[in-house]
Amino acid sequence: MNRETDKNEQVPKAMEITSPRTAEQPGPQIPKTGTQYEAGHGPNDGHDHGDDDHDHDETASYVPTIISLVLLLGGILLDYLDVPWFTTYVRLAVYGIAYLLVGGKVVWHALRNITKGNVFNEFFLMSMATIGAFYIGEYAEGVAVMLFYVIGEHFQEAAVARSRKSIKDLIDNRPEIVTVLRNGQATEVKPQQVSIGDTIQIKAGEKVALDGEILSEQSSFNTAALTGESKPDTKSKGEKVLAGMINLDKVIDIKVTSAYEDSALSKILKLVEDAGSRKAKTQQFITRFAKIYTPIVVFAALGLALLPYFFVADYVFNDWLYRALIFLVISCPCALVISVPLGYFGGIGAASRNGILFKGSNFLDLITTVDTIVMDKTGTLTEGVFKVQEIKTYGLPETELVALTAALESKSSHPVAQAVVQHAGDSYKHLTVSEVEEISGHGLKGTVDGKSVMAGNGKMMHKFHISYDPEIDAIVDTIVMVAIENQFAGYITIADKIKDDAPETVRQLHALGITNITMLSGDKDSIVQQVAASLKIDKAYGGLLPQDKVSKVEELKQQGRTVAFVGDGINDAPVITLADVGLAMGAMGSDAAIETADVVIQNDQPSKIATAIHIGKATKQIVWQNIGLAFGVKLLVMAFGAFGVATMWEAVFADVGVAFLAILNAIRIQRMNFGKKD
């Protein structure tokens, strides 16, 4: 699917055979303009087939189907009235035209597939059954089978188009024109023509078209398109603003930091559109099953037509051929190979509307099997917005300690470092900083105005043999210890806040049967244990280095547990990759999150973890409902057909009717409400 395609591009005007049923990777897609796929070039063959929505001109694609339906109903009426002239060639011509209008391309694709060695597929089954019906004189039934098959195709296309449109309308309605300020003049151009570093102007009520950094003092934004939450988010000068956000307050200026195709929203859209390529195990099973199942039913039908000759006294070939044709029609695995991928696609769409992005349907399945959830603390369960609480100095003024520490910490993007910098204001900006070294899991060291300065945790002080009062380790809050010229100079305490929905998140996860919720953090253990106790988390470990987190997750996996890890997607990238399911929290603009996580939660609400599991469970339930429905009805009608009880009309229902019901059931997930549940 190509999001940069012209908005006015339309789907084919002529009816296309768009079934994913014989493709290498079955999955619902909309064919690209002018494309009529051949054998091996189905909708999900790995090529881009477009996703543009149908408009009013699409009715042209229904014209052959409508004409065929009229001819079929007219023929049945003339047969019923026993009109004298409606016999032999006239009757064959009417039904033949009705058949070719809907079945011509099906037969053609069957023949093309045969020449390429792909014999046993749905096109072959439908062609054999309907041509056989014509052979024995059951013209109306032959047309009806093909007609209802094509009607089922129309319903399938409409269902997929509606699902895609609901996702696209939700998050991809970026403005087509953006105002750029160049040489003091405001110029309207397309977003694709804006360069990195340009300044764009966003009026109140307008949607941001490109990622950037806010140049104005402050404004509030509706971030619902990205996060699923309508609560306004206030951004101040220098903060990042993402494409898809709506400016609520006043006219603002934004400095563009990403090209149109590299914006966070473009990456999110790419993630959603690619999600169908990673299939769940159920989906993979259905694909393999169809390849084995189809030749079996073809030979079974052949046996049903010929073997009774040796066992039945009053054997009539046409009677047994009719039963075999019914068997063939029923055997088409339509409902299975349409509704299963469509069900997963619906689940991915439902998750997108809730601000959760699954990178593949396989993760929708896998998240339902998780029994252990491991979470980072800062930014996942806590706000990650730190504020200085207390400053304690030894032998030098407080202002000097703060200035020297802030100057060093200004070279780090860590939330704790930023808290010190924010508290210091402009007091450090006249100082020169050099030779800065970041020691992972410890802190920073460098030279500030010619003085050696270290800022970090207790491990940092121990590493460089700097002694301090051991009672400082008992302080619960996050603490930044400062050493100047290899002498302990003081400390700064910083506190974080637990997110509002964190307690509810833990409760919901326990209610879902998650037996082990573990928190891992690089923060000091006393803080970690305090947070864990207040949230009723099962286990918690503090003072961990990045490699320690990896070791903890490896231990859990060695115990046979299915582990989901939730982190910020940057520092925790190795653990996210290691876990069975990796979730990135609040990582809309993070390349690391999008690249390493299996599931991206677009806001900072940990409660979305439980929502993701609910959506996975609902999707799996619908998929198995469809499998049960398809198998149950088909086996029943197959048995009736083999004993001569069912007619071709019942076969049509068992094939197309059940497929239609399965499609309706699959798209039902899009209308489900995944709010807070017990």
Side-chain angles (χ1 to χ4, degrees), residues 335-360:
L336 291 174
V337 292
I338 288 178
S339 63
V340 170
L342 189 59
Y344 283 112
F345 188 79
I348 290 169
S352 298
R353 283 201 304 279
N354 282 273
I356 304 163
L357 301 177
F358 281 89
K359 279 193 175 180

PDB file of all heavy atoms in Angstrom, residues 335-360:
ATOM      1  N   ALA A 335     -14.485 -19.468   3.015  1.00  0.00           N
ATOM      2  CA  ALA A 335     -14.685 -18.823   4.313  1.00  0.00           C
ATOM      3  C   ALA A 335     -13.407 -18.824   5.136  1.00  0.00           C
ATOM      4  O   ALA A 335     -13.116 -17.867   5.848  1.00  0.00           O
ATOM      5  CB  ALA A 335     -15.806 -19.529   5.067  1.00  0.00           C
ATOM      6  N   LEU A 336     -12.641 -19.909   5.031  1.00  0.00           N
ATOM      7  CA  LEU A 336     -11.424 -20.014   5.839  1.00  0.00           C
ATOM      8  C   LEU A 336     -10.373 -19.010   5.402  1.00  0.00           C
ATOM      9  O   LEU A 336      -9.874 -18.221   6.210  1.00  0.00           O
ATOM     10  CB  LEU A 336     -10.857 -21.434   5.739  1.00  0.00           C
ATOM     11  CG  LEU A 336     -11.662 -22.543   6.413  1.00  0.00           C
ATOM     12  CD1 LEU A 336     -11.034 -23.886   6.100  1.00  0.00           C
ATOM     13  CD2 LEU A 336     -11.716 -22.315   7.910  1.00  0.00           C
ATOM     14  N   VAL A 337     -10.025 -19.036   4.111  1.00  0.00           N
ATOM     15  CA  VAL A 337      -8.895 -18.246   3.664  1.00  0.00           C
ATOM     16  C   VAL A 337      -9.252 -16.791   3.390  1.00  0.00           C
ATOM     17  O   VAL A 337      -8.378 -15.990   3.085  1.00  0.00           O
ATOM     18  CB  VAL A 337      -8.224 -18.881   2.422  1.00  0.00           C
ATOM     19  CG1 VAL A 337      -7.570 -20.180   2.787  1.00  0.00           C
ATOM     20  CG2 VAL A 337      -9.213 -19.067   1.302  1.00  0.00           C
ATOM     21  N   ILE A 338     -10.535 -16.442   3.482  1.00  0.00           N
ATOM     22  CA  ILE A 338     -10.904 -15.025   3.440  1.00  0.00           C
ATOM     23  C   ILE A 338     -10.994 -14.479   4.856  1.00  0.00           C
ATOM     24  O   ILE A 338     -10.364 -13.505   5.219  1.00  0.00           O
ATOM     25  CB  ILE A 338     -12.273 -14.815   2.755  1.00  0.00           C
ATOM     26  CG1 ILE A 338     -12.164 -15.053   1.264  1.00  0.00           C
ATOM     27  CG2 ILE A 338     -12.763 -13.390   2.988  1.00  0.00           C
ATOM     28  CD1 ILE A 338     -13.480 -14.898   0.556  1.00  0.00           C
ATOM     29  N   SER A 339     -11.807 -15.134   5.688  1.00  0.00           N
ATOM     30  CA  SER A 339     -12.167 -14.554   6.980  1.00  0.00           C
ATOM     31  C   SER A 339     -11.038 -14.592   7.995  1.00  0.00           C
ATOM     32  O   SER A 339     -10.978 -13.742   8.882  1.00  0.00           O
ATOM     33  CB  SER A 339     -13.379 -15.284   7.545  1.00  0.00           C
ATOM     34  OG  SER A 339     -13.078 -16.649   7.781  1.00  0.00           O
ATOM     35  N   VAL A 340     -10.140 -15.577   7.894  1.00  0.00           N
ATOM     36  CA  VAL A 340      -9.050 -15.648   8.877  1.00  0.00           C
ATOM     37  C   VAL A 340      -8.119 -14.438   8.756  1.00  0.00           C
ATOM     38  O   VAL A 340      -7.928 -13.706   9.731  1.00  0.00           O
ATOM     39  CB  VAL A 340      -8.281 -16.979   8.758  1.00  0.00           C
ATOM     40  CG1 VAL A 340      -7.022 -16.944   9.598  1.00  0.00           C
ATOM     41  CG2 VAL A 340      -9.169 -18.134   9.195  1.00  0.00           C
ATOM     42  N   PRO A 341      -7.539 -14.153   7.559  1.00  0.00           N
ATOM     43  CA  PRO A 341      -6.713 -12.943   7.473  1.00  0.00           C
ATOM     44  C   PRO A 341      -7.507 -11.666   7.695  1.00  0.00           C
ATOM     45  O   PRO A 341      -6.995 -10.703   8.261  1.00  0.00           O
ATOM     46  CB  PRO A 341      -6.132 -12.997   6.052  1.00  0.00           C
ATOM     47  CG  PRO A 341      -6.984 -13.943   5.304  1.00  0.00           C
ATOM     48  CD  PRO A 341      -7.518 -14.927   6.293  1.00  0.00           C
ATOM     49  N   LEU A 342      -8.774 -11.657   7.253  1.00  0.00           N
ATOM     50  CA  LEU A 342      -9.602 -10.475   7.455  1.00  0.00           C
ATOM     51  C   LEU A 342      -9.859 -10.238   8.942  1.00  0.00           C
ATOM     52  O   LEU A 342      -9.915  -9.099   9.410  1.00  0.00           O
ATOM     53  CB  LEU A 342     -10.931 -10.623   6.706  1.00  0.00           C
ATOM     54  CG  LEU A 342     -11.821  -9.385   6.654  1.00  0.00           C
ATOM     55  CD1 LEU A 342     -11.089  -8.229   5.994  1.00  0.00           C
ATOM     56  CD2 LEU A 342     -13.107  -9.679   5.907  1.00  0.00           C
ATOM     57  N   GLY A 343      -9.996 -11.321   9.704  1.00  0.00           N
ATOM     58  CA  GLY A 343     -10.176 -11.205  11.152  1.00  0.00           C
ATOM     59  C   GLY A 343      -8.962 -10.565  11.804  1.00  0.00           C
ATOM     60  O   GLY A 343      -9.087  -9.663  12.641  1.00  0.00           O
ATOM     61  N   TYR A 344      -7.768 -11.015  11.417  1.00  0.00           N
ATOM     62  CA  TYR A 344      -6.548 -10.432  11.970  1.00  0.00           C
ATOM     63  C   TYR A 344      -6.383  -8.978  11.520  1.00  0.00           C
ATOM     64  O   TYR A 344      -5.946  -8.123  12.289  1.00  0.00           O
ATOM     65  CB  TYR A 344      -5.330 -11.253  11.556  1.00  0.00           C
ATOM     66  CG  TYR A 344      -5.191 -12.532  12.341  1.00  0.00           C
ATOM     67  CD1 TYR A 344      -5.375 -13.772  11.737  1.00  0.00           C
ATOM     68  CD2 TYR A 344      -4.892 -12.503  13.696  1.00  0.00           C
ATOM     69  CE1 TYR A 344      -5.262 -14.949  12.473  1.00  0.00           C
ATOM     70  CE2 TYR A 344      -4.768 -13.670  14.435  1.00  0.00           C
ATOM     71  CZ  TYR A 344      -4.959 -14.886  13.813  1.00  0.00           C
ATOM     72  OH  TYR A 344      -4.851 -16.041  14.541  1.00  0.00           O
ATOM     73  N   PHE A 345      -6.740  -8.718  10.282  1.00  0.00           N
ATOM     74  CA  PHE A 345      -6.662  -7.346   9.779  1.00  0.00           C
ATOM     75  C   PHE A 345      -7.592  -6.439  10.581  1.00  0.00           C
ATOM     76  O   PHE A 345      -7.236  -5.307  10.926  1.00  0.00           O
ATOM     77  CB  PHE A 345      -7.042  -7.317   8.295  1.00  0.00           C
ATOM     78  CG  PHE A 345      -6.820  -5.989   7.641  1.00  0.00           C
ATOM     79  CD1 PHE A 345      -5.552  -5.607   7.239  1.00  0.00           C
ATOM     80  CD2 PHE A 345      -7.867  -5.115   7.420  1.00  0.00           C
ATOM     81  CE1 PHE A 345      -5.342  -4.388   6.635  1.00  0.00           C
ATOM     82  CE2 PHE A 345      -7.659  -3.890   6.817  1.00  0.00           C
ATOM     83  CZ  PHE A 345      -6.394  -3.525   6.421  1.00  0.00           C
ATOM     84  N   GLY A 346      -8.776  -6.958  10.900  1.00  0.00           N
ATOM     85  CA  GLY A 346      -9.715  -6.198  11.724  1.00  0.00           C
ATOM     86  C   GLY A 346      -9.154  -5.938  13.112  1.00  0.00           C
ATOM     87  O   GLY A 346      -9.345  -4.861  13.677  1.00  0.00           O
ATOM     88  N   GLY A 347      -8.464  -6.929  13.674  1.00  0.00           N
ATOM     89  CA  GLY A 347      -7.853  -6.766  14.988  1.00  0.00           C
ATOM     90  C   GLY A 347      -6.774  -5.691  14.971  1.00  0.00           C
ATOM     91  O   GLY A 347      -6.676  -4.878  15.895  1.00  0.00           O
ATOM     92  N   ILE A 348      -5.959  -5.667  13.907  1.00  0.00           N
ATOM     93  CA  ILE A 348      -4.923  -4.646  13.778  1.00  0.00           C
ATOM     94  C   ILE A 348      -5.566  -3.266  13.662  1.00  0.00           C
ATOM     95  O   ILE A 348      -5.089  -2.288  14.255  1.00  0.00           O
ATOM     96  CB  ILE A 348      -4.031  -4.942  12.550  1.00  0.00           C
ATOM     97  CG1 ILE A 348      -3.168  -6.182  12.827  1.00  0.00           C
ATOM     98  CG2 ILE A 348      -3.143  -3.749  12.214  1.00  0.00           C
ATOM     99  CD1 ILE A 348      -2.446  -6.717  11.613  1.00  0.00           C
ATOM    100  N   GLY A 349      -6.686  -3.183  12.921  1.00  0.00           N
ATOM    101  CA  GLY A 349      -7.396  -1.908  12.789  1.00  0.00           C
ATOM    102  C   GLY A 349      -7.992  -1.450  14.104  1.00  0.00           C
ATOM    103  O   GLY A 349      -7.916  -0.269  14.460  1.00  0.00           O
ATOM    104  N   ALA A 350      -8.587  -2.381  14.851  1.00  0.00           N
ATOM    105  CA  ALA A 350      -9.169  -2.044  16.153  1.00  0.00           C
ATOM    106  C   ALA A 350      -8.086  -1.558  17.110  1.00  0.00           C
ATOM    107  O   ALA A 350      -8.292  -0.603  17.869  1.00  0.00           O
ATOM    108  CB  ALA A 350      -9.887  -3.256  16.736  1.00  0.00           C
ATOM    109  N   ALA A 351      -6.933  -2.203  17.069  1.00  0.00           N
ATOM    110  CA  ALA A 351      -5.824  -1.780  17.927  1.00  0.00           C
ATOM    111  C   ALA A 351      -5.343  -0.383  17.542  1.00  0.00           C
ATOM    112  O   ALA A 351      -5.054   0.445  18.412  1.00  0.00           O
ATOM    113  CB  ALA A 351      -4.674  -2.789  17.827  1.00  0.00           C
ATOM    114  N   SER A 352      -5.273  -0.100  16.243  1.00  0.00           N
ATOM    115  CA  SER A 352      -4.831   1.216  15.785  1.00  0.00           C
ATOM    116  C   SER A 352      -5.736   2.315  16.318  1.00  0.00           C
ATOM    117  O   SER A 352      -5.261   3.387  16.713  1.00  0.00           O
ATOM    118  CB  SER A 352      -4.814   1.269  14.246  1.00  0.00           C
ATOM    119  OG  SER A 352      -3.913   0.335  13.720  1.00  0.00           O
ATOM    120  N   ARG A 353      -7.037   2.042  16.324  1.00  0.00           N
ATOM    121  CA  ARG A 353      -7.974   3.049  16.828  1.00  0.00           C
ATOM    122  C   ARG A 353      -7.818   3.260  18.324  1.00  0.00           C
ATOM    123  O   ARG A 353      -8.252   4.278  18.854  1.00  0.00           O
ATOM    124  CB  ARG A 353      -9.411   2.636  16.506  1.00  0.00           C
ATOM    125  CG  ARG A 353      -9.799   2.871  15.080  1.00  0.00           C
ATOM    126  CD  ARG A 353     -11.302   2.945  14.939  1.00  0.00           C
ATOM    127  NE  ARG A 353     -11.927   1.742  15.480  1.00  0.00           N
ATOM    128  CZ  ARG A 353     -12.030   0.589  14.838  1.00  0.00           C
ATOM    129  NH1 ARG A 353     -11.518   0.476  13.628  1.00  0.00           N
ATOM    130  NH2 ARG A 353     -12.611  -0.449  15.382  1.00  0.00           N
ATOM    131  N   ASN A 354      -7.225   2.314  19.003  1.00  0.00           N
ATOM    132  CA  ASN A 354      -6.975   2.443  20.436  1.00  0.00           C
ATOM    133  C   ASN A 354      -5.552   2.896  20.745  1.00  0.00           C
ATOM    134  O   ASN A 354      -5.088   2.798  21.878  1.00  0.00           O
ATOM    135  CB  ASN A 354      -7.256   1.106  21.140  1.00  0.00           C
ATOM    136  CG  ASN A 354      -8.734   0.856  21.334  1.00  0.00           C
ATOM    137  OD1 ASN A 354      -9.332   1.278  22.316  1.00  0.00           O
ATOM    138  ND2 ASN A 354      -9.354   0.184  20.367  1.00  0.00           N
ATOM    139  N   GLY A 355      -4.849   3.374  19.718  1.00  0.00           N
ATOM    140  CA  GLY A 355      -3.503   3.882  19.926  1.00  0.00           C
ATOM    141  C   GLY A 355      -2.456   2.806  20.120  1.00  0.00           C
ATOM    142  O   GLY A 355      -1.421   3.036  20.740  1.00  0.00           O
ATOM    143  N   ILE A 356      -2.724   1.603  19.577  1.00  0.00           N
ATOM    144  CA  ILE A 356      -1.789   0.476  19.716  1.00  0.00           C
ATOM    145  C   ILE A 356      -1.468  -0.047  18.324  1.00  0.00           C
ATOM    146  O   ILE A 356      -2.383  -0.346  17.552  1.00  0.00           O
ATOM    147  CB  ILE A 356      -2.402  -0.653  20.566  1.00  0.00           C
ATOM    148  CG1 ILE A 356      -2.841  -0.120  21.931  1.00  0.00           C
ATOM    149  CG2 ILE A 356      -1.419  -1.805  20.740  1.00  0.00           C
ATOM    150  CD1 ILE A 356      -3.799  -1.039  22.661  1.00  0.00           C
ATOM    151  N   LEU A 357      -0.202  -0.174  17.995  1.00  0.00           N
ATOM    152  CA  LEU A 357       0.195  -0.636  16.669  1.00  0.00           C
ATOM    153  C   LEU A 357       0.882  -1.992  16.753  1.00  0.00           C
ATOM    154  O   LEU A 357       1.956  -2.127  17.326  1.00  0.00           O
ATOM    155  CB  LEU A 357       1.141   0.380  16.021  1.00  0.00           C
ATOM    156  CG  LEU A 357       0.562   1.787  15.848  1.00  0.00           C
ATOM    157  CD1 LEU A 357       1.602   2.715  15.262  1.00  0.00           C
ATOM    158  CD2 LEU A 357      -0.673   1.760  14.974  1.00  0.00           C
ATOM    159  N   PHE A 358       0.234  -3.010  16.177  1.00  0.00           N
ATOM    160  CA  PHE A 358       0.828  -4.351  16.088  1.00  0.00           C
ATOM    161  C   PHE A 358       1.597  -4.446  14.779  1.00  0.00           C
ATOM    162  O   PHE A 358       1.066  -4.112  13.724  1.00  0.00           O
ATOM    163  CB  PHE A 358      -0.262  -5.423  16.126  1.00  0.00           C
ATOM    164  CG  PHE A 358      -0.790  -5.719  17.503  1.00  0.00           C
ATOM    165  CD1 PHE A 358      -1.849  -5.001  18.018  1.00  0.00           C
ATOM    166  CD2 PHE A 358      -0.230  -6.721  18.280  1.00  0.00           C
ATOM    167  CE1 PHE A 358      -2.344  -5.262  19.285  1.00  0.00           C
ATOM    168  CE2 PHE A 358      -0.714  -6.997  19.550  1.00  0.00           C
ATOM    169  CZ  PHE A 358      -1.774  -6.268  20.057  1.00  0.00           C
ATOM    170  N   LYS A 359       2.829  -4.938  14.840  1.00  0.00           N
ATOM    171  CA  LYS A 359       3.628  -5.053  13.625  1.00  0.00           C
ATOM    172  C   LYS A 359       3.259  -6.263  12.779  1.00  0.00           C
ATOM    173  O   LYS A 359       3.781  -6.420  11.681  1.00  0.00           O
ATOM    174  CB  LYS A 359       5.114  -5.111  13.983  1.00  0.00           C
ATOM    175  CG  LYS A 359       5.718  -3.752  14.248  1.00  0.00           C
ATOM    176  CD  LYS A 359       7.230  -3.852  14.275  1.00  0.00           C
ATOM    177  CE  LYS A 359       7.858  -2.482  14.408  1.00  0.00           C
ATOM    178  NZ  LYS A 359       9.329  -2.564  14.447  1.00  0.00           N
ATOM    179  N   GLY A 360       2.404  -7.107  13.269  1.00  0.00           N
ATOM    180  CA  GLY A 360       1.982  -8.275  12.503  1.00  0.00           C
ATOM    181  C   GLY A 360       0.905  -9.027  13.232  1.00  0.00           C
ATOM    182  O   GLY A 360       0.763  -8.926  14.458  1.00  0.00           O
TER     183      GLY A 360
END
